[in-house]
Amino acid sequence: LRNLHGGTVVASYPFDDSASHVMQGYYSRSVDDNLFKHLALTYAKNHPVMRTGEPKCPDTPDETFEDGIVNGAKWYDVPGGMQDYNYLNGNCLEITMELSCCKFPPASELKKEWDYNRESLIAYLEQVHIGVRGYVKEATNGTALPDVRIMVAGINHNLTTAQFGDYYRLLLPGTYNVSAIATGYMSMTVVGVQVVEGKATELNFTLAPLGNEPTGGITVPFTPTTTEARPPAQPEHQPIQPQDFRHHHYNDMELFLRRYSNGFRSIAHLYSIGKSAEDRELYVMVISDNPTVHEPGEPEFKYIANMHGNEVVGRELLLNLIEYLCHNYGSDPEVTQLVNTTRIHIMPSMNPDGYEIAREGDVRGYTGRNNSNNFDLNRNFPDQFTTITEPRQPETIAVMNWLKSNPFVLSANLHGGSLVVNYPYDDDKQGRTEYSKCPDDKVFKQVARAYSQENALMHKGHPCEDLYQSEFFEDGITNGANWYNVPGGMQDWNYLNTNCFEVTIELGCVKYPKAQHLPLYWDQNHRALLQYIHQIHRGVKGMVIDIKDGTGIPNATITVEEIDHQITTHLAGDYWRLLVPGTYHLTASAQGYNSVKIYATVPEEGVELVDFRLTRMRSDPNGQAPMDPRATQDPAEEVFQSFIKDLSLGQGLEQLVQSTVTESSFRYRRYKELSEFLRGLTFNFPKITSLHSLGQSVEYRTIWALEISNKPDEPETAEPKIRLVGGIHGNAPVGTELLLEFAAFLCINYGKNPTITRLINETRIVILPSINPDGRELAREKQCTSTVGMTNTHGKDLDTDFFGNASQRVVEAQPETRAVMDLILERGFTLSVALDGGSLLATYPYDKPVQPVENEETLKYLANVYARNHPKMHLGDTGCSMGNIPDGVLRAAERQSHMGSMKDFSVDFGHCPEITVYTGCCLFPPAVQLATLWAENRKALLSMLVEVHKGVRGVVKDKSGKPIVGAMIVLNGGVRVFTAEGGYFHALLAPGNHNIEAVADGYQQQRQEVVVSSYEAASSIIIEFDMDNRIFGLPREFVVATAAASMTALVVTACIIWCVCSAKSNQQKDGFHRLRQHRDDYEDEIRLTSMGSKKSLLSNEFQDESESDEDALYTNADKL
Ligand SMILES: [Zn+2]
């Protein structure tokens, strides 16, 4: 607001003063006066008070403005205003809006002010698109010309073009003559330019240089200069060469990348894969015709530079490459074809922190080589021969995750300090300097030569004669280990852990050359950089698809006979196999499919297309009905299949996480708060939750179980049931908080997020957040290693208290253990996950030593799924002095072997696979870390809700269609599950082929083969028993009657034992345990005598009986 003047409501426009500085009433007109009036009117006429021109302000009640606008100087002469400065010294037109009579009105009026001004602000904003706009380019090489004057005849006010040669000249509708003028160029005028209302007219200029002055001439002397003059591929066409030859520090580089991603949106997309140790973004520019997505069939290429911070040539070359690709796309055939057929990822700096301390002119120094934690990133990757003990760095972790989530095919990693292309392997077992051949040696030599051949100096093979006189590399390439050993390098990790082939390129003997030499590096390498990208289009590529429905098969393997290196297909079934010319035997295999073998000939030039069509396996040795998992599907099931498939592949879960809300102030909750939190959930979400007490701790705290399901109080036996358990050790309460958060997360998103809603509708989720509440009360925050609170009040580590077999039990089970054991023994659970702390990994049974678990493959697979969906766990760096654990997954006994663990009990007696997840090294980390821990585990926890739907499921019936309850399903001759109400069963299995047998008393055993996939939901199978009319040579009815009689007898006996025991003991519970023990003994016996079908049926009846009694003691436990 102006000096000496109260507030008012008006739009005023330039000029604000005049040469004479007459105080009032002198109209000071700019050459764009009509335009300014139009702009001021646009604002005023959309403002209900301003447009009246009569603000009626208390200070000046009589002041009026025609149409609500006024020329600044006419109203009041103000020298030194911002508005006029904008117009006279910049390209910008500015007007001044006075918005209210009162300068600082009460807050209550702000809403009214917003309503008055909203339309005006938007209408005014739209005016930026009127007039003429366009670009000014150089005629010979097409580069943008900044600072070119744009003149409109008759209006003596010039604009200049901005950085990209772009300009915006606001004009009122009409016909104009517009000129572009720049020193050193022929000026250009376009006459009769039509400007219409509402939309800017596009007008581009191309200015030819005056005379024949060469542009971008390089006159820098450089020894040795050996760039050969090469005839251009197409003499009539000259690609546009890059111009930006200088060293780009982080901020400069960031600006450069943003400029290109904004300026070339259709082909350039900038993203970050994470942050450096000092929080700098690890940027990647992706250049392709559809840069933001992987197009099935189009291979992904990458260049990574500046991994060693002081080796900077690659960094600048890659920025130049971005310039080159962007400017030549659409005009240069080679660039256009490369960009259209390849997705090219360019990471100019993997070590931006190191770069910032490196120094220009460094020839072979080390300052800035390492990251800011002083680790060499190219010694920081897991190695096949050596254990890397140095902690994995954030840059390394980011790159590893990046490589795992994109189907890269070919890559190069740009270094400096020598001049050679180096290919795998980089080391060998003995650490000797000798050739360490990888299975794809021929391919690597071919791609390495493709680069070195285009760099004449490199190709000669004498890299740095001044520094290392005797060094010679034939053709300018070398096997890594044959040069010198590099354990922990990125290149080998690519080859051994992904589908990507990577080489390491040394670009020159000087690590950090002077900026003036950069153009020469471009000259020497730019053909090689392009030629290397072309190598991605050699060998064999194609699709692996299901012959029946034509859908792609993800994660299928492509094997080449005699090359011991498999390639896997991406999500759509697409694959690429780099190969040198020749004829090969290729085999495509996928779980549940018959393999297909094909001969293929790789041509001298280009790529051979080979598609594989695979048939589902339908083998069945017993000649029974073949089990095509898709045969029995109804449409609803098919929809669910694709729902699970979407969540299992690619970014499905990631997208789910992104699309869900999570709102919590993370903190630790002790027992009282925890109970309130759980009650709060059931109060707020009564339709999908139900809270039960499983029993009480030694100090009478309740062991809570929260069920989340669409019908929480109904036993929906057709749905899989998952158990999530936290806080078995009270001193490791992270799991408790994660489970509370997870429960809230599920509830809050129910009905809002369709995926979460569906998962809850189809799954029964039982959460036991804290099973050792007494220990938890004693534990203290920030105690990372303390054992205070680990045990229950009796000093018992609950994870050593789960014994199913009475003979192994020395003393009575702790009440906490008892409560959880009873829940486990109810069976019916498909999967269980326990959360604990003290390392960063997932373990699977057994905890007890010696014995391998029967379904080890399945349990290990489940642990792997969790670890894989955790951003750090799967990298295997436990970070808590446990060294590297491959994939972050370990058999529990190898971590710390002990008897009586919960998961062993769950597997042996609950017939439910259970894994234990250790969420971090610190047992009780500070509360501020909870948000991070939640972010790390959210996706993995969700993955378990998806995983529980896989495996095999079905219904067991007799011939008449009557479901058979308590039938035993034997998996691969070992692990058993039992059918529930309705004859339902569900068992998780590792992907692959499995044999299942169904056994029920009085029926003939049934055997079937099933195929389990890693990304498909279990499809429902129906096992139908033939009625066996005569059992043991007796009529069926008779046997059933006898069995019923024996059962009655047993029940009576049990009651008698129970009564006697009750009488003997003061505690009702004791007598109870005897019964339990009986049953436990029974279980063991069953395990020993395989296929004890009759007994199992009996034991089931027996169990039912005992549990009905138990209800009196443990309220509601049966509802779970
Ligand atoms: Zn290096």
Side-chain angles (χ1 to χ4, degrees):
L1 281 171
R2 292 146 185 271
N3 297 328
L4 312 170
H5 202 285
T8 185
V9 185
V10 70
S12 94
Y13 54 89
F15 289 124
D16 261 345
D17 63 347
S18 64
S20 61
H21 292 300
V22 176
M23 281 300 283
Q24 256 174 319
Y26 181 85
Y27 197 114
S28 182
R29 197 178 303 266
S30 76
V31 291
D32 277 305
D33 193 56
N34 285 334
L35 178 61
F36 274 120
K37 267 196 211 152
H38 164 78
L39 294 171
L41 267 174
T42 303
Y43 199 97
K45 74 180 180 212
N46 285 291
H47 189 293
V49 177
M50 200 181 285
R51 68 169 166 240
T52 64
E54 294 169 2
K56 299 198 176 84
C57 290
D59 288 358
T60 49
D62 302 326
E63 195 169 49
T64 58
F65 304 101
E66 199 183 335
D67 297 328
I69 66 169
V70 68
N71 174 271
K74 190 182 175 199
W75 183 24
Y76 209 90
D77 189 279
V78 178
M82 176 165 74
Q83 151 189 298
D84 292 0
Y85 180 87
N86 262 278
Y87 180 62
L88 296 171
N89 295 282
N91 289 330
C92 186
L93 302 170
E94 181 170 291
I95 65 173
T96 305
M97 269 68 99
E98 307 282 349
L99 297 178
S100 60
C101 298
C102 177
K103 293 181 185 180
F104 200 150
S108 58
E109 286 188 21
L110 288 174
K111 169 75 171 71
K112 185 191 77 187
E113 288 299 331
W114 165 245
D115 290 337
Y116 281 176
N117 287 281
R118 190 179 51 222
E119 288 303 320
S120 294
L121 288 165
I122 291 169
Y124 189 69
L125 183 59
E126 283 165 357
Q127 297 307 306
V128 79
H129 295 290
I130 65 170
V132 183
R133 54 166 292 184
Y135 291 90
V136 181
K137 284 185 184 174
E138 215 263 5
T140 53
N141 61 17
T143 52
L145 286 179
D147 291 323
V148 177
R149 268 179 298 154
I150 302 295
M151 293 175 58
V152 179
I155 306 178
N156 185 20
H157 180 75
N158 301 335
L159 305 185
T160 52
T161 55
Q163 210 137 23
F164 304 115
D166 49 334
Y167 75 92
Y168 310 84
R169 192 6 164 147
L170 302 196
L171 288 169
L172 294 174
T175 307
Y176 299 89
N177 300 338
V178 187
S179 310
I181 299 157
T183 41
Y185 293 89
M186 305 247 294
S187 57
M188 186 178 171
T189 301
V190 180
V191 295
V193 179
Q194 296 288 327
V195 173
V196 295
E197 207 158 306
K199 187 173 174 286
T201 303
E202 201 166 321
L203 179 63
N204 298 321
F205 295 92
T206 308
L207 300 188
L210 289 169
N212 268 339
E213 211 180 309
T215 51
I218 298 157
T219 50
V220 183
F222 184 82
T223 42
T225 50
T226 48
T227 319
E228 283 169 25
R230 187 179 293 100
Q234 287 176 308
E236 72 281 2
H237 170 81
Q238 283 290 342
I240 301 158
Q241 293 300 325
Q243 305 291 313
D244 199 345
F245 292 110
R246 64 202 169 90
H247 290 299
H248 292 75
H249 274 268
Y250 179 73
N251 291 336
D252 261 0
M253 179 182 82
E254 189 177 43
L255 191 65
F256 179 103
L257 294 170
R258 286 193 190 285
R259 241 186 247 153
Y260 275 87
S261 65
N262 288 330
F264 296 87
R265 274 176 200 283
S266 61
I267 57 161
H269 167 67
L270 182 65
Y271 65 100
S272 165
I273 62 158
K275 285 182 170 178
S276 69
E278 288 179 354
D279 252 14
R280 290 189 176 88
E281 299 287 350
L282 299 171
Y283 282 119
V284 177
M285 181 79 101
V286 55
I287 297 186
S288 189
D289 53 346
N290 283 303
T292 55
V293 289
H294 169 74
E295 293 177 83
E298 192 171 302
E300 310 262 338
F301 178 93
K302 68 183 159 73
Y303 271 132
I304 299 182
N306 198 215
M307 179 185 200
H308 290 141
N310 63 334
E311 299 168 12
V312 309
V313 172
R315 178 176 172 130
E316 299 308 329
L317 279 182
L318 291 189
L319 295 182
N320 291 147
L321 182 64
I322 291 170
E323 277 187 271
Y324 186 87
L325 293 174
C326 286
H327 288 299
N328 287 301
Y329 180 73
S331 58
D332 179 77
E334 181 189 25
V335 169
T336 308
Q337 184 247 334
L338 267 185
V339 171
N340 283 343
T341 56
T342 326
R343 193 154 171 245
I344 305 163
H345 301 252
I346 298 175
M347 178 189 261
S349 180
M350 184 178 156
N351 181 5
D353 299 348
Y355 179 87
E356 293 302 312
I357 61 162
R359 285 185 301 259
E360 187 167 346
D362 179 359
V363 177
R364 43 175 173 163
Y366 286 89
T367 308
R369 174 187 175 88
N370 293 349
N371 78 340
S372 64
N373 294 331
N374 203 21
F375 291 107
D376 186 335
L377 298 177
N378 208 24
R379 306 289 185 279
N380 199 235
F381 284 78
D383 191 89
Q384 59 176 327
F385 303 118
T386 315
T387 304
I388 304 297
T389 51
E390 294 183 339
R392 200 139 295 138
Q393 295 303 299
E395 293 87 352
T396 316
I397 291 172
V399 167
M400 285 167 76
N401 279 323
W402 178 45
L403 303 196
K404 284 277 189 189
S405 51
N406 285 283
F408 290 116
V409 178
L410 183 65
S411 168
N413 165 23
L414 309 182
H415 286 251
S418 185
L419 189 65
V420 66
V421 181
N422 168 107
Y423 56 88
Y425 290 133
D426 261 342
D427 62 347
D428 67 2
K429 256 196 208 86
Q430 289 78 25
R432 285 183 304 233
T433 300
E434 61 180 30
Y435 207 108
S436 179
K437 201 179 262 193
C438 82
D440 278 297
D441 195 59
K442 283 182 183 155
V443 175
F444 276 110
K445 277 187 186 154
Q446 175 175 279
V447 298
R449 275 202 196 95
Y451 193 98
S452 71
Q453 259 160 15
E454 297 288 339
N455 181 320
L457 183 60
M458 185 188 281
H459 197 244
K460 280 186 182 164
H462 297 282
C464 309
E465 282 171 311
D466 304 349
L467 303 175
Y468 320 101
Q469 278 168 2
S470 59
E471 205 160 58
F472 173 68
F473 300 116
E474 196 181 337
D475 290 346
I477 66 172
T478 183
N479 170 269
N482 203 27
W483 183 17
Y484 65 97
N485 256 254
V486 178
M490 177 163 72
Q491 160 193 287
D492 289 5
W493 192 85
N494 265 271
Y495 181 67
L496 294 164
N497 295 277
T498 75
N499 288 328
C500 188
F501 287 46
E502 181 171 279
V503 302
T504 305
I505 301 175
E506 302 283 348
L507 292 164
C509 302
V510 181
K511 290 182 176 178
Y512 200 148
K514 296 264 192 258
Q516 70 214 54
H517 297 153
L518 290 173
L520 204 80
Y521 283 101
W522 173 254
D523 277 2
Q524 287 176 336
N525 288 289
H526 94 267
R527 281 306 317 158
L529 287 166
L530 295 172
Q531 206 55 52
Y532 189 71
I533 304 176
H534 282 296
Q535 301 309 305
I536 204 168
H537 299 288
R538 302 188 69 171
V540 180
K541 72 167 191 174
M543 306 281 289
V544 178
I545 55 182
D546 184 313
I547 200 163
K548 200 168 150 205
D549 56 14
T551 57
I553 303 172
N555 216 24
T557 57
I558 307 294
T559 316
V560 180
E561 212 164 275
E562 281 155 12
I563 302 181
D564 183 20
H565 182 79
Q566 287 182 343
I567 293 296
T568 53
T569 56
H570 193 54
L571 306 180
D574 43 350
Y575 79 93
W576 300 263
R577 191 22 167 130
L578 300 181
L579 287 167
V580 302
T583 299
Y584 300 89
H585 261 111
L586 301 175
T587 307
S589 317
Q591 246 140 23
Y593 289 89
N594 294 309
S595 297
V596 168
K597 194 177 206 174
I598 291 182
Y599 274 105
T601 299
V602 174
E604 288 295 324
E605 290 287 322
V607 66
E608 177 76 359
L609 269 171
V610 178
D611 290 343
F612 295 87
R613 288 172 182 79
L614 270 53
T615 328
R616 288 253 181 196
M617 266 177 203
R618 29 176 83 237
S619 66
D620 189 64
N622 292 358
Q624 287 172 1
M627 289 249 324
D628 185 336
R630 295 175 182 205
T632 57
Q633 275 182 24
D634 57 36
E637 200 171 332
E638 236 163 82
V639 172
F640 189 66
Q641 282 285 359
S642 76
F643 172 76
I644 292 296
K645 189 170 177 179
D646 288 347
L647 287 172
S648 303
L649 293 173
Q651 299 296 301
L653 270 181
E654 188 58 44
Q655 279 158 7
L656 172 59
V657 167
Q658 304 293 337
S659 69
T660 43
V661 291
T662 177
E663 42 174 62
S664 176
S665 50
F666 288 95
R667 62 202 165 86
Y668 286 107
R669 296 176 179 87
R670 296 169 68 139
Y671 174 72
K672 190 164 166 285
E673 274 187 283
L674 175 138
S675 304
E676 279 162 11
F677 185 88
L678 292 170
R679 282 198 204 94
L681 280 182
T682 54
F683 181 76
N684 286 304
F685 304 96
K687 290 204 174 106
I688 54 162
T689 57
S690 124
L691 187 63
H692 309 282
S693 158
L694 298 181
Q696 290 191 325
S697 68
V698 176
E699 292 177 346
Y700 301 104
R701 291 189 176 89
T702 301
I703 316 274
W704 292 114
L706 176 75
E707 175 158 2
I708 302 177
S709 165
N710 60 334
K711 293 170 191 161
D713 289 315
E714 278 175 47
E716 296 180 279
T717 47
E719 286 182 5
K721 193 169 177 182
I722 184 171
R723 184 171 72 231
L724 301 161
V725 187
I728 193 166
H729 296 124
N731 61 336
V734 170
T736 301
E737 298 308 328
L738 292 183
L739 291 181
L740 292 178
E741 185 58 36
F742 191 51
F745 168 85
L746 293 173
C747 290
I748 289 166
N749 284 290
Y750 186 80
K752 295 200 178 78
N753 181 296
T755 307
I756 296 290
T757 308
R758 183 100 204 240
L759 280 174
I760 291 174
N761 286 347
E762 305 276 354
T763 323
R764 290 175 295 159
I765 304 158
V766 179
I767 295 177
L768 281 56
S770 177
I771 61 171
N772 179 7
D774 299 352
R776 168 66 187 86
E777 290 299 297
L778 298 175
R780 288 287 165 267
E781 191 179 335
K782 297 177 191 167
Q783 298 293 309
C784 284
T785 53
S786 167
T787 54
V788 175
M790 183 181 92
T791 65
N792 75 345
T793 301
H794 288 154
K796 183 71 184 169
D797 178 348
L798 299 179
D799 203 31
T800 62
D801 197 40
F802 284 80
F803 286 100
N805 195 324
S807 60
Q808 288 181 313
R809 183 172 283 295
V810 186
V811 289
E812 191 52 47
Q814 298 298 318
E816 294 91 349
T817 318
R818 188 76 260 163
V820 178
M821 277 167 67
D822 288 346
L823 178 71
I824 293 172
L825 287 172
E826 277 177 18
R827 301 181 179 170
F829 284 97
T830 317
L831 171 63
S832 173
V833 180
L835 300 180
D836 206 341
S839 10
L840 186 64
L841 49 88
T843 66
Y844 57 92
Y846 285 132
D847 278 299
K848 60 189 171 197
V850 190
Q851 283 160 281
V853 67
E854 269 169 337
N855 50 341
E856 172 152 9
E857 214 192 327
T858 299
L859 289 157
K860 187 175 181 181
Y861 165 77
L862 292 167
N864 261 309
V865 172
Y866 195 99
R868 207 167 56 225
N869 284 292
H870 186 290
K872 292 196 296 206
M873 195 178 286
H874 71 104
L875 299 174
D877 188 10
T878 59
C880 355
S881 65
M882 271 199 72
N884 274 310
I885 307 290
D887 303 324
V889 168
L890 202 61
R891 189 156 71 91
E894 291 171 45
R895 180 181 177 271
Q896 197 181 51
S897 149
H898 62 277
M899 303 299 288
S901 87
M902 178 166 70
K903 64 176 165 301
D904 290 5
F905 183 84
S906 175
V907 168
D908 285 349
F909 297 97
H911 306 291
C912 168
E914 177 167 305
I915 59 167
T916 308
V917 171
Y918 295 84
T919 55
C921 302
C922 183
L923 290 166
F924 203 149
V928 290
Q929 288 182 22
L930 285 172
T932 308
L933 285 159
W934 164 245
E936 285 172 355
N937 287 281
R938 184 171 37 169
K939 191 166 106 185
L941 286 168
L942 282 168
S943 77
M944 294 291 107
L945 297 193
V946 176
E947 213 53 42
V948 76
H949 288 280
K950 296 176 187 168
V952 58
R953 72 187 179 102
V955 185
V956 180
K957 297 176 180 171
D958 68 13
K959 256 251 151 93
S960 67
K962 188 173 143 269
I964 300 175
V965 182
M968 182 165 63
I969 307 293
V970 184
L971 309 167
N972 299 316
V975 173
R976 301 155 308 147
V977 295
F978 296 89
T979 55
E981 283 304 319
Y984 288 108
F985 70 93
H986 192 145
L988 298 186
L989 286 163
N993 294 359
H994 300 272
N995 270 305
I996 69 167
E997 286 159 294
V999 185
D1001 189 36
Y1003 298 97
Q1004 218 159 43
Q1005 193 169 320
Q1006 299 285 317
R1007 185 193 300 270
Q1008 289 194 330
E1009 186 165 308
V1010 293
V1011 176
V1012 172
S1013 129
S1014 63
Y1015 55 86
E1016 285 171 342
S1019 39
S1020 190
I1021 61 171
I1022 294 166
I1023 300 176
E1024 201 181 84
F1025 281 116
D1026 277 327
M1027 191 89 70
D1028 201 358
N1029 269 330
R1030 293 186 71 82
I1031 307 161
F1032 315 127
L1034 297 167
R1036 179 174 181 80
E1037 292 70 24
F1038 176 79
V1039 176
V1040 172
T1042 316
S1046 355
M1047 276 187 290
T1048 313
L1050 256 169
V1051 170
V1052 170
T1053 317
C1055 286
I1056 294 167
I1057 296 170
W1058 187 78
C1059 293
V1060 171
C1061 293
S1062 309
K1064 277 187 185 167
S1065 160
N1066 291 333
Q1067 287 182 331
Q1068 219 179 0
K1069 255 184 187 172
D1070 269 351
F1072 218 76
H1073 286 306
R1074 294 286 169 88
L1075 261 187
R1076 277 281 179 213
Q1077 284 166 14
H1078 263 273
R1079 198 178 94 219
D1080 294 338
D1081 289 338
Y1082 231 154
E1083 295 260 358
D1084 280 359
E1085 201 180 330
I1086 291 162
R1087 284 187 66 76
L1088 293 171
T1089 61
S1090 61
M1091 311 304 155
S1093 56
K1094 188 174 177 188
K1095 282 177 183 170
S1096 81
L1097 193 67
L1098 291 176
S1099 89
N1100 224 48
E1101 292 295 321
F1102 192 45
Q1103 179 186 346
D1104 287 344
E1105 198 61 34
S1106 62
E1107 267 168 10
S1108 66
D1109 285 331
E1110 198 172 316
D1111 289 349
L1113 284 175
Y1114 302 109
T1115 40
N1116 288 335
D1118 61 321
K1119 287 183 180 168
L1120 286 167

